[in-house]
Each structure stands twice: as C-alpha cells, then as structure tokens.
Amino acid sequence: AVTTGGLLFSDNFDSYNASVWSVPAGSGIWQVTAGNLIQTDSSVYNSNIYAALNQNLSNRSLYQFYAMIDPAADGTNQHRFGFHFFSDNAALTNRGNSYFIYFRQETSTLEFYKVVNDVFTLSKTINNVTTVFSQWYDYKVIFDKTTGKISVYRDNVLLGSWTDSSVLTTQGDYISFRTGSCKVNISELKVFRSRPLSVAVSLGAAATND
C-alpha cells in the first residue's frame, strides 16, 4: 500500500469540468448529475472519458473511486466497465500504451489488461468476483511502476493482483474510464502518489516557495 504520499488528483463531480475531461467522438454520453459521473449510452461497447494526469512523478500510485453498474444493457451483451491508468495517449481506442482493470457482471470476473501500441492483452483473470447491479462499491487500484505490480481492492478487500514482468516504459500521462454495453455511475475519484519519508519544504512569501 502507499503508506506515505499526497493527493495528486481529485474530482467529486459536483459539476462536469470540460477543461479537465475529454470524450472522443462516439465514446459514449457522459454527464454529471447529483455528484455522479454517468455514462448513459448502453449501446456503446467501448466508451471513453479521459483526463490528463502526470503519473511519472512517483514509484507508486493509488487510484480510488466509487462505481455502480446500472441494470440497463444493450441486448444480451455483457455489462462491463473498467479503468485505464498510466496511459500515454488516452484519445486512442485502447488508450495507446496503458494498463486497465475490467469488471464483468455476467461472468463474475475481474480482468487485468496490458495495452501496447493500442492493442490490449488479457494478462490475468480473477473468478468469483460478484458485482451486484445498482450497488455502489469502493474501488482502489494500486500500481507500482518499479515492480510492475497492480493490486485491486473493492470495499477494502483485496480481490487480486498481477505483476507485469516487463513494465511499460512509456509515459503515464492520462487516466480513463471505460464502459461496455451498459450504464455506469462513478463518484469521488481520487489519485494519490507515494513520496519519500522526508520531503524538503521551502518557507517564505516568494512564488517559488511551498
């Protein structure tokens, strides 16, 4: 876990901030209602909303958000949603080079993916992960870019981990949510980064001081 660190990014979705979030054409209908970011188009198989975020500053990052899958679906397609991190180009279909975690409701699985040159590979599947419709969950994803280990917690229970033996060396400049054939509500997104045990802080009134 990230034992010492600082808040790197925060959005409680009090309103939709178009200067922070981007949605490529055909990537779903995203809106903010009552403190929730909602993707409302269940016909889209790969929705995308992304934000710029420098994840190269520290060895470890912790991504936390709350999410709920709506029962509405597009035909018989599986309800599924996920989160991309350490992406170098989130505007692309599979976010360029990145990692992402994916939950599938019908198959009760958690999946770990690695994306290289916009082509994703399923790296690991965790079974027996039941996701209940219309129930909010607290998700935490911890990524260590030095060891390649990714750990996923839900409601503070470790669901599974996967370690990439050949960690991406591309820049981690974006984060992105992804849904498939379903509506998803997201709230209270926070990203934290690790820091050294001691940090130099400069005092004073100058603009260069902390």
Side-chain angles (χ1 to χ4, degrees), residues 13-30:
F13 302 112
D14 298 317
S15 61
Y16 182 78
N17 192 336
S19 66
V20 173
W21 295 99
S22 299
V23 178
S27 297
I29 300 173
W30 295 89

Side-chain angles (χ1 to χ4, degrees), residues 31-167:
Q31 61 189 39
V32 169
T33 303
N36 298 326
L37 175 66
I38 308 172
Q39 200 295 109
T40 61
D41 189 349
S42 61
S43 69
V44 178
Y45 76 94
N46 176 10
S47 71
N48 180 4
I49 187 168
Y50 68 87
L53 179 63
N54 185 350
Q55 297 146 80
N56 308 292
L57 302 172
S58 303
N59 291 334
R60 291 175 298 279
S61 299
L62 187 156
Y63 312 87
Q64 179 180 14
F65 57 89
Y66 293 82
M68 179 265 285
I69 297 180
D70 190 279
D74 180 37
T76 59
N77 291 323
Q78 292 182 2
H79 296 71
R80 56 206 187 275
F81 88 97
F83 177 71
H84 284 260
F85 52 95
F86 210 71
S87 163
D88 68 343
N89 189 345
L92 297 180
T93 301
N94 293 307
R95 288 57 160 183
N97 296 279
S98 74
Y99 298 99
F100 73 97
I101 55 109
Y102 218 36
F103 286 85
R104 295 183 185 268
Q105 197 277 337
E106 279 77 4
T107 58
S108 299
T109 54
L110 159 63
E111 299 170 340
F112 294 78
Y113 287 86
K114 181 179 181 178
V115 186
V116 177
N117 295 327
D118 212 43
V119 177
F120 63 76
T121 300
L122 175 60
S123 301
K124 185 174 182 178
T125 300
I126 307 296
N127 296 306
N128 301 314
V129 179
T130 301
T131 300
V132 178
F133 288 135
S134 302
Q135 178 171 325
W136 284 97
Y137 295 95
D138 172 10
Y139 293 91
K140 294 184 179 73
V141 180
I142 299 175
F143 172 54
D144 188 322
K145 68 184 182 71
T146 59
T147 66
K149 184 176 182 179
I150 301 168
S151 300
V152 178
Y153 292 78
R154 192 170 67 179
D155 292 341
N156 294 320
V157 175
L158 177 63
L159 297 180
S161 299
W162 171 68
T163 300
D164 183 7
S165 59
S166 180
V167 188

